[in-house]
Amino acid sequence: MDYLQIQGPTKLSGTVTISGAKNAALPLITLTLLAHNPLKITNMPEVVDIKTLLKLLQNLGASCSLENHVLQVDTSTVNHTMANYDIVKTMRASILVLGPLLARFGHCEVSLPGGCAIGQRPIDLHLKALEQMGAEITIHAGYVHAVAPKGLQGAHIIFDKITVTGTANIVMAAALAHGKTILTNCAREPEVVQLCEILRDSGIDITGIGTSELTIIGTGGKTIDMVDFEVIPDRIEAGTYLCAGAITNSTITLENVRADHLDAVTGKLEQMGCTFDITENTMTIHPAAQLKHVNIITQEYPAFPTDMQAQFLALATLASGTSIIEERLFENRFMHVSELQRLGADIMLNGHTATVIGGTPLFGADVMATDLRASSALVLAAMAAEGTTNVHRIYHLDRGYENLEQKLQALGATIVRLKE
């Protein structure tokens, strides 16, 4: 098993190119199940989660090739509608094949999903919405069996709570349904917005993009002549590198980045004393002379993203004063706290709230990654710590960060990948 060895404290400088967004690319790959034509998708991140989902598509009968961040995919040959446990167990996003497969074929079997251990992320909202659209759903032997004997029908669906994958799944289902579907209380994340924009550009009548209510007129079961597209930049990877500049007291520049997707993140960094130079597709962070404490509550977009909570918790360990970080989206997303404490961080945990006493020195130690974003928080803290830190179980990192150690090495970090 691989691990990362990091020598700190370190100083960074230079430019880093941000990859395509994993969280946008995953639903966009399943979106291709609605197309009857071959597609070319550019700026595709080459990370483990993407390769896992492409393997699932190939198992369904699609042809895919990913090279130099360009994905060529043809789903016109799909002839299976069963998403097997062997693949789905490793990644929750596999559930995103449910809506497209059911809408296109009228039936499918999808294993109940697995993924990061950051808390319960049930799919009941997906299933309830599909039932409102006329699907008959049973769960048997760990599989969701879905049938729509008359095809999916348009409906007015009100999500009980905001769900990113639920919104994406039902938008895709609605695109091929019969009649009009209205979705209320939708997720507004940039990743959902891009999915909707591609459907609109491919001829689907969809209005309300970027708002919490979407109206979609379906094709009545006909597949779509879909346009080629480019995946948006990864706002979470970008936010992580901004935190790398802040935690190492370094000026660095990000290329291929959408600053408008990062307002909540840059707003908190500005509160901590950092400043920015921003152009159309670059951001340069200038660190604070002394990081100030900050209070954060994670919520749905456009509020502060849960996927940046761990990185800011690491950053708060260096700030002056006491920071309060409240996690409102997942009930088990503070597993990195005990690992940061191993480095010397002074953090008190009470339910969904972490209190960070800043300014305590960090020292290198052996730590263990517990989920994708926690992994990056440990890397950030290690770059600020005195001495050698070994970050174990980095297969979590490889699921969502492309060439992390190479990018950090290019910025000047002393970081190497080693075998246990």
Side-chain angles (χ1 to χ4, degrees):
M1 205 180 288
D2 291 358
Y3 69 98
L4 289 178
Q5 187 171 85
I6 301 158
Q7 301 288 339
T10 193
K11 195 81 170 172
L12 305 179
S13 66
T15 301
V16 60
T17 301
I18 300 304
S19 300
K22 172 188 83 87
N23 288 346
L26 293 169
L28 295 176
I29 288 170
T30 62
L31 179 66
T32 67
L33 288 166
L34 304 183
H36 55 240
N37 57 305
L39 290 164
K40 175 182 173 182
I41 308 173
T42 53
N43 201 35
M44 180 63 63
E46 297 189 23
V47 294
V48 170
D49 273 8
I50 297 297
K51 293 167 185 174
T52 301
L53 190 57
L54 292 179
K55 186 178 173 188
L56 175 54
L57 248 62
Q58 288 169 326
N59 281 6
L60 296 173
S63 61
C64 315
S65 71
L66 177 57
E67 198 170 336
N68 296 324
H69 303 101
V70 177
L71 173 64
Q72 305 278 356
V73 58
D74 184 357
T75 64
S76 65
T77 51
V78 167
N79 53 6
H80 298 292
T81 58
M82 183 181 211
N84 286 321
Y85 170 73
D86 286 348
I87 294 180
V88 177
K89 70 180 178 183
T90 64
M91 187 178 63
R92 297 198 60 82
S94 307
I95 197 65
L96 286 163
V97 300
L98 177 63
L101 285 176
L102 181 59
R104 176 170 162 184
F105 294 101
H107 60 89
C108 64
E109 294 174 47
V110 179
S111 173
L112 292 167
C116 269
I118 60 172
Q120 292 298 312
R121 289 183 280 181
I123 60 165
D124 56 329
L125 299 176
H126 306 229
L127 304 184
K128 179 182 170 187
L130 290 170
E131 284 177 330
Q132 283 183 258
M133 298 174 78
E136 298 168 6
I137 292 174
T138 54
I139 296 176
H140 178 69
Y143 280 80
V144 176
H145 297 253
V147 188
K150 299 175 182 174
L152 292 175
Q153 309 296 318
H156 184 189
I157 292 156
I158 302 171
F159 290 112
D160 291 337
K161 59 182 285 191
I162 296 171
T163 162
V164 175
T165 52
T167 300
N169 226 342
I170 305 309
V171 164
M172 292 188 281
L176 260 56
H178 297 266
K180 180 198 289 188
T181 298
I182 299 171
L183 304 180
T184 301
N185 200 28
C186 297
R188 295 186 285 156
E189 272 70 3
E191 297 79 12
V192 172
V193 169
Q194 182 171 32
L195 180 86
C196 295
E197 287 173 344
I198 291 162
L199 282 170
R200 179 197 63 200
D201 295 345
S202 301
I204 295 294
D205 183 348
I206 177 168
T207 55
I209 295 174
T211 75
S212 58
E213 183 160 288
L214 294 164
T215 302
I216 304 159
I217 310 296
T219 65
K222 302 187 191 74
T223 51
I224 303 165
D225 186 13
M226 200 171 288
V227 296
D228 294 337
F229 55 88
E230 177 178 321
V231 179
I232 57 173
D234 194 319
R235 63 193 172 99
I236 305 304
E237 186 194 24
T240 302
Y241 282 103
L242 292 177
C243 286
I247 204 166
T248 60
N249 195 34
S250 306
T251 296
I252 61 171
T253 298
L254 280 52
E255 291 184 335
N256 185 39
V257 64
R258 287 277 300 267
D260 58 322
H261 292 168
L262 285 156
D263 288 342
V265 169
T266 53
K268 289 300 176 184
L269 285 169
E270 284 172 342
Q271 286 178 29
M272 297 182 84
C274 301
T275 58
F276 298 91
D277 298 326
I278 295 172
T279 70
E280 188 177 356
N281 64 352
T282 72
M283 297 180 73
T284 299
I285 180 169
H286 302 285
Q290 168 61 58
L291 286 166
K292 301 169 189 163
H293 66 274
V294 69
N295 293 339
I296 288 170
I297 298 173
T298 66
Q299 289 177 291
E300 294 88 353
Y301 189 88
F304 191 88
T306 180
D307 279 353
M308 286 301 305
Q309 175 256 101
Q311 298 90 313
F312 269 78
L313 203 149
L315 195 53
T317 65
L318 267 64
S320 61
T322 301
S323 298
I324 309 291
I325 298 177
E326 186 180 343
E327 173 60 58
R328 286 196 182 171
L329 295 183
F330 293 114
E331 71 275 10
N332 199 21
R333 204 163 200 179
F334 278 127
M335 291 188 291
H336 44 279
V337 166
S338 57
E339 301 303 306
L340 288 170
Q341 287 168 335
R342 288 177 59 79
L343 298 174
D346 187 352
I347 306 167
M348 291 175 290
L349 205 50
N350 183 13
H352 298 297
T353 303
T355 302
V356 187
I357 311 298
T360 52
L362 302 180
F363 296 95
D366 281 272
V367 292
M368 183 176 70
T370 51
D371 63 71
L372 171 55
R373 305 306 172 186
S375 314
S376 63
L378 297 177
V379 171
L380 293 175
M383 290 194 296
E386 189 77 44
T388 302
T389 299
N390 298 311
V391 183
H392 302 274
R393 291 198 183 175
I394 56 167
Y395 56 84
H396 290 292
L397 260 179
D398 295 334
R399 288 185 44 229
Y401 285 97
E402 185 173 5
N403 299 330
L404 180 82
E405 66 269 25
Q406 292 95 324
K407 289 183 179 184
L408 286 173
Q409 284 165 0
L411 291 171
T414 306
I415 176 171
V416 289
R417 180 180 289 249
L418 301 170
K419 293 278 183 195
E420 299 279 7

